[in-house]
Amino acid sequence: MKTTLFSSLATVITGVLVTAVSCTNSVVSPSPDAPTGDLRVSAPFANQTTQFAFDLAKRVNTQEGQTKNVFISPLSLHIALGMILNGANGQTAQEIQKTLNLDAQTLAEANKTYQNLMENLPIVDPKVTVSLANSVWYRNTFQVATSFQDVLKQEFKAEVSAQNFDDPGTVGKINAWASEKTNGRIPKVIDQIQPDNVMFLLNALYFKGDWKTQFKPEQTIDAPFKLASGGETTVRMMRLNSTIRQAFRQSYSAFELPYGDDKYAMTVLLPAESSTADNLLQNFSGSDWTQLQKDMAAGVLDLGLPKFTLTYEVKLNSVLSGMGMPTAFTDHADFTKMNANGGLTLSFVKQNTFVAVDEKGTEAAAVTTGGISTTSMPMPKLCDRPFVFVIHEKTSGTVLFVGKIADPTKTNS
């Protein structure tokens, strides 16, 4: 029988668009006086994975529709698929590598960047909590190639554990790991283990940061919010009048809200009254993001941002197939670098996310689970209509999260 590799991603996010690594034009090294470790992301990796982030965001948003909130972590998904890529061969590997926009690099080069992110992204800003963790859980009767285990342990810092998948308690162990690594924000990533499941690969991403300039709770008021459907709802609108980085385009305005020591930030993209958040996302690219970062300039701005909390889940099989990796989800998949006997396929990829934004700051986390189974202007800028937001690390250009808020009052989407 053909074994099935499935991947589920759970993400808890605070602050920025979800996603991979954003564009820069050269190898990025933080300023010497910044406690950022040795965080280095090459220009090819940064440029290509930023494009992956916004391509993913627009495809997920199209799948979900204009009335639903969206919140994804391109970074968590990229790392999870990076682990799976190391177990793939032939056309399957080529498609995954191309989908990740890493086809211009060797796998060894990409793995070194993953390792650098795992080790150094969490220490970029001592005032912001960021943690990344990977784990692999496999059935104790299933043989996992030693070379595959080694690369996950060394490059991805993954914990690798053989478990009795027939013991109902194993589900609790996996979910407990996910919950621990996300500060309880992702309490469950699997409901049960099927008889044909042989492996789970998990990536966990957690973020918590206080605004560099916090909103004053006494200035938060009830305010109207225009829905994409044409209706209206009431939100708790936070207000801030401060000097912040901003930029203006014909179709949208952008402003940046930094966290901690200004290494991490949330950039909010507010579409013009004549446009929509969906049109903005559909036409926004990695190169647009790169240019926007160059054009942002400091200025005084009176802004309003709704408070919101969101728990989100989306299945990504169709999205990833459309991005270029359909073979992985079929019986023709080749994951012989995981097990030389082959017969493995990716059965599903999903992402669960959480984000909470208030006057103090943002909290976020992500868990990606992969499994293998046998089968077959001067005026106030009020975010009073659907908007897009991105959470990112500024020195390396890494995009952690991307989201669209269609209705701030909806806590589930």
Side-chain angles (χ1 to χ4, degrees), residues 57-191:
K58 71 177 61 177
R59 288 174 181 267
V60 170
N61 186 63
T62 298
Q63 175 178 289
E64 295 293 83
Q66 65 175 1
T67 62
K68 288 194 67 175
N69 294 328
V70 171
F71 190 60
I72 55 171
S73 174
L75 175 59
S76 182
L77 178 59
H78 209 282
I79 293 173
L81 291 178
M83 290 195 290
I84 293 170
L85 171 61
N86 277 273
N89 240 333
Q91 181 179 344
T92 303
Q94 293 170 12
E95 289 181 358
I96 297 174
Q97 193 162 354
K98 188 171 183 178
T99 296
L100 293 173
N101 288 350
L102 297 178
D103 45 316
Q105 300 180 63
T106 67
L107 184 58
E109 290 170 340
N111 284 345
K112 286 301 180 185
T113 301
Y114 286 129
Q115 181 180 4
N116 189 285
L117 286 168
M118 294 293 301
E119 293 175 346
N120 294 304
L121 196 61
I123 59 174
V124 166
D125 188 337
K127 292 183 179 179
V128 173
T129 299
V130 174
S131 63
L132 280 164
N134 294 312
S135 65
V136 179
W137 311 73
Y138 67 92
R139 189 181 291 272
N140 55 12
T141 57
F142 178 72
Q143 290 296 116
V144 180
T146 301
S147 56
F148 180 60
Q149 292 191 51
D150 288 345
V151 74
L152 296 188
K153 291 176 182 177
Q154 295 166 12
E155 312 288 2
F156 291 85
K157 309 301 177 185
E159 306 169 35
V160 180
S161 174
Q163 296 287 329
N164 179 5
F165 277 18
D166 296 323
D167 179 0
T170 301
V171 170
K173 291 180 182 179
I174 295 174
N175 287 333
W177 183 90
S179 182
E180 177 192 353
K181 298 303 180 182
T182 60
N183 199 32
R185 291 304 187 181
I186 303 290
K188 182 168 68 173
V189 294
I190 59 171
D191 293 312

Side-chain angles (χ1 to χ4, degrees), residues 335-363:
F335 289 105
T336 49
K337 289 169 68 178
M338 293 184 185
N339 181 294
N341 294 326
L344 306 177
T345 184
L346 189 63
S347 63
F348 72 87
V349 177
K350 72 165 186 169
Q351 188 167 77
N352 301 90
T353 66
F354 167 88
V355 59
V357 174
D358 61 17
E359 291 90 351
K360 187 176 182 181
T362 303
E363 184 180 16

